[in-house]
Amino acid sequence: GQSLEQPSEVTAVEGAIVQINCTYQTSGFYGLSWYQQHDGGAPTFLSYNALDGLEETGRFSSFLSRSDSYGYLLLQELQMKDSASYFCAVRDYSGGYQKVTFGTGTKLQVIP
Amino acid sequence: DADVTQTPRNRITKTGKRIMLECSQTKGHDRMYWYRQDPGLGLRLIYYSFDVKDINKGEISDGYSVSRQAQAKFSLSLESAIPNQTALYFCATSERLNTGELFFGEGSRLTVL
């Protein structure tokens, strides 16, 4: 089966940089995604890494190391609106189908 | 209008009642999913469907059933609701998973008393 680990909570200061790590165990790995979810809202897609390396999208970057089964989401120039939960999710192949399995989420609190 | 619409958004029911949560999408995606979210447990996959005739169990399908009435509609049923099914339920769609991107509805909050 699959398992993903990420910290449950992170606190960072407005304007700073924060890194949220994710380690995973799965067979048939295709890629790692990141989602943002504000309280009471729906998860929204942030990024996807299928290959090793860093992908940058504005203030957000995502990194993957397939050999280490590890990835992270980097948020720069933190803003108060970045306070939310962040989920890593693996896209993998098992039981004859591709699926997306989510981690338990990291609650990010941005403080002034 | 939202691309993925869930109804009802909120529902309170009693133990033993049958409940149906409905999901419709205008994105034209073949793949649809039902996830359950509980505090501290993330999103767990209940059922997924890759087309109208292809429905598969996820990791927590016990106590749930689904129906894919059309490409655009995917319903989740609780035949006899129990309190530990109190949760936030999300429907999601995807075109293909090459980008790992799922599109989520706004969620249906279900409370079973």
Side-chain angles (χ1 to χ4, degrees):
Chain A
Q2 307 97 334
S3 71
L4 298 95
E5 289 190 14
Q6 52 182 129
S8 58
E9 295 182 351
V10 172
T11 300
V13 178
E14 188 177 16
I17 299 172
V18 70
Q19 179 174 313
I20 300 173
N21 299 319
C22 175
T23 58
Y24 59 87
Q25 284 186 308
T26 185
S27 56
F29 177 83
Y30 279 117
L32 186 71
S33 302
W34 288 92
Y35 287 79
Q36 179 191 61
Q37 184 182 31
H38 287 98
D39 282 348
T44 55
F45 175 80
L46 292 176
S47 66
Y48 176 70
N49 295 69
L51 302 176
D52 287 355
L54 192 68
E55 296 280 344
E56 298 182 54
T57 308
R59 295 187 296 113
F60 294 2
S61 302
S62 57
F63 172 83
L64 176 66
S65 169
R66 295 174 68 110
S67 60
D68 295 323
S69 297
Y70 163 76
Y72 65 72
L73 179 69
L74 191 73
L75 295 80
Q76 303 182 73
E77 302 173 12
L78 279 172
Q79 302 176 9
M80 298 301 291
K81 68 178 182 180
D82 296 329
S83 293
S85 292
Y86 293 84
F87 295 88
C88 59
V90 294
R91 173 182 161 233
D92 65 1
Y93 185 90
S94 63
Y97 295 95
Q98 289 186 37
K99 294 191 297 290
V100 176
T101 302
F102 286 79
T104 55
T106 299
K107 189 173 182 66
L108 170 64
Q109 182 181 16
V110 181
I111 58 176
Chain B
D1 289 341
D3 293 325
V4 183
T5 303
Q6 293 183 228
T7 56
R9 295 291 312 279
N10 287 283
R11 182 72 183 269
I12 300 174
T13 191
K14 294 182 178 180
T15 298
K17 295 291 187 181
R18 184 178 187 273
I19 294 297
M20 179 180 286
L21 306 179
E22 299 184 330
C23 177
S24 63
Q25 52 116 346
T26 58
K27 299 191 74 68
H29 291 166
D30 287 329
R31 302 179 180 193
M32 298 187 74
Y33 312 80
W34 277 104
Y35 284 89
R36 167 179 172 159
Q37 186 172 35
D38 299 275
L41 295 179
L43 291 139
R44 293 182 291 166
L45 184 62
I46 307 172
Y47 271 95
Y48 57 105
S49 171
F50 282 2
D51 67 40
V52 175
K53 296 182 180 179
D54 185 2
I55 295 176
N56 305 280
K57 293 182 178 181
E59 59 182 305
I60 55 163
S61 60
D62 287 348
Y64 302 95
S65 62
V66 290
S67 173
R68 184 80 184 266
Q69 300 94 325
Q71 186 205 38
K73 296 184 181 296
F74 192 36
S75 300
L76 176 72
S77 293
L78 289 69
E79 296 300 326
S80 179
I82 56 177
N84 77 0
Q85 291 178 311
T86 293
L88 183 57
Y89 291 86
F90 284 102
C91 174
T93 73
S94 71
E95 183 177 33
R96 296 178 66 180
L97 291 181
N98 285 351
T99 62
E101 182 171 7
L102 300 178
F103 297 85
F104 284 86
E106 292 301 309
S108 296
R109 185 169 296 280
L110 176 65
T111 302
V112 183
L113 301 176

